[in-house]
Amino acid sequence: MLQKTPAPPPVSDLAIPHAEGVSNDEFRAAMSRLASGVVLVTAHDPDDGPRGEDVGMTATAFMSVSLDPPLVLVSLRNGSRMDDLLTDVPVWAVSMLAEDQRHVAGRFAMKNRVSDRLLFADLPHTRGEESGAPLMGGALATLECRTESRVVAGDHTLVVGRVLTAALPSASNSGPLTYFQGKYRHLS
């Protein structure tokens, strides 16, 4: 007699477990083999202090989504300062970091910092006309964006932004700063 295997219970999209045998460490190690460009995501918080405060975050999960309309995507850790800020502030900026800007990436990747005010103090930057956010001097390219949509995906939120401005401020022949196997690198 043929026995039927019972169908597995439906799993909600929000509670999908890890595949059997895939641990967080194994997944992290596998994904470290994917080289990524490094960007600095910035926004201006007008409600923090008398003149507001600039906020920055290093990101490696950033990509182009669409040419028409021009859209990009950045992945933000749920509950991070940038995630909380971009929930309320609809405009933000991205500076695509050059290989000689490793110190900028490291500075804004620090966890548990109290304020970003000092982190921006000695860095050359301009203020975006559309976003009011800092745009890093020496960056390979800068974008100003307006949030189009937000999608919660596991422990991160994917923020899709419409590109409002795009500039190539650096005349340098420098290459991009990349992230590979847990370290900042440059192309050789």
Side-chain angles (χ1 to χ4, degrees), residues 13-107:
D13 289 339
L14 299 177
I16 297 174
H18 279 297
E20 286 215 22
V22 178
S23 71
N24 289 350
D25 289 341
E26 290 168 326
F27 180 66
R28 188 176 294 117
M31 294 310 297
S32 78
R33 300 301 201 271
L34 178 65
S36 303
V38 182
V39 301
L40 181 66
V41 180
T42 57
H44 182 74
D45 184 354
D47 298 329
D48 192 350
R51 292 180 291 185
E53 184 174 8
D54 296 325
V55 177
M57 180 198 89
T58 301
T60 56
F62 176 79
M63 63 183 279
S64 168
V65 174
S66 169
L67 184 60
D68 186 17
L71 299 173
V72 293
L73 178 145
V74 65
S75 180
L76 307 175
R77 186 175 35 83
N78 293 342
S80 67
R81 183 159 186 209
M82 189 62 73
D83 180 39
D84 292 344
L85 180 58
L86 294 190
T87 299
D88 299 326
V89 175
V91 288
W92 42 281
V94 175
S95 296
M96 297 178 197
L97 299 180
E99 61 192 3
D100 62 353
Q101 292 181 304
R102 179 185 305 220
H103 65 288
V104 175
R107 185 179 286 198

Side-chain angles (χ1 to χ4, degrees), residues 106-118:
R107 185 179 286 198
F108 288 93
M110 292 185 303
K111 295 187 188 323
N112 303 321
R113 57 186 189 265
V114 177
S115 169
D116 287 1
R117 190 176 321 269
L118 295 175

